[in-house]
Amino acid sequence: MLNRHARGFFTALFTPLARWLLKIGISPDAVTVIGTAGVVVGALVFYPLGQLWWGTLFITAFIFSDVLDGIMARMRDTGGRWGNFLDSTLDRIADGALFAGVAIWFFTGGADYAVAVAATLCLVLGMVVSYARAKAESLGFTANVGIAERAERLVSVLVVTGFTGLGLPSVVLLVTLGLLALASLVTVIQRIVSVRRQALAETTATD
């Protein structure tokens, strides 16, 4: 998928910056927090004001912190459960803010309730996708299956939202959000089915 294929490229691109930030004393956790704050500001300040293009540019400037902090953690060999927890938790905040910002604008000044509802569905289902995996893993199962990975969701909504701000018909954004919501729903079902199969196999093995 997109995030796997692009990982090598972005690692090479951001490694010099990661090395420099570590040199001046910036920690991976600080980059994670700053990046999330930037995304939240872009999504919940620019988008509700109807500044879809400039909001997208602002968010894009911070969104790659998710790659940068990982590179820095590997360089310092400080990755681990804490970093993973912080990164995953703040990712959910950033994702929620992104779809919430789109929904707020189209419920208000954008006056397109269909787009607003689709964005809200993406927000809710995206949270369930993440929760399903986290809950499964907390119970000793695996649930890393699914067609709606985070990278695809972010790239799709950012690109189309940005160009909507430049005049792209909002129906394109509606279709994009609808497909993302559907993909998230399918992913939730896939994860439920996967965990159910593991639970049944576990029960059979103990009989």
Side-chain angles (χ1 to χ4, degrees), residues 22-185:
L22 288 172
K23 184 177 181 180
I24 64 173
I26 304 297
S27 70
D29 288 352
V31 171
T32 303
V33 172
I34 293 170
T36 301
V39 172
V40 170
V41 168
L44 296 183
V45 175
F46 285 91
Y47 280 1
L49 293 175
Q51 298 295 324
L52 304 183
W53 172 249
W54 292 111
T56 296
L57 292 183
F58 189 89
I59 291 168
T60 301
F62 290 92
I63 204 72
F64 289 107
S65 65
D66 197 42
V67 177
L68 186 59
D69 59 7
I71 297 171
M72 294 171 66
R74 288 191 294 273
M75 284 182 171
R76 284 181 49 176
D77 195 24
T78 56
R81 291 187 296 175
W82 160 248
N84 185 277
F85 169 79
L86 180 66
D87 191 54
S88 295
T89 301
L90 295 188
D91 280 350
R92 304 292 79 75
I93 294 174
D95 293 358
L98 182 60
F99 289 107
V102 173
I104 291 169
W105 168 244
F106 284 100
F107 269 131
T108 56
D112 191 325
Y113 293 145
V115 173
V117 169
T120 303
L121 286 174
C122 286
L123 190 161
V124 173
L125 290 169
M127 296 299 109
V128 177
V129 166
S130 300
Y131 174 80
R133 178 172 178 172
K135 184 62 177 181
E137 292 176 349
S138 74
L139 296 172
F141 300 112
T142 59
N144 56 358
V145 297
I147 62 174
E149 296 191 22
R150 183 173 186 260
E152 283 83 349
R153 297 200 306 269
L154 288 181
V155 170
S156 298
V157 73
L158 283 173
V159 169
V160 180
T161 299
F163 282 109
T164 299
L166 291 180
L168 185 72
S170 61
V171 67
V172 179
L173 180 57
L174 174 61
V175 171
T176 301
L177 292 171
L179 291 174
L180 287 176
L182 179 60
S184 296
L185 178 60

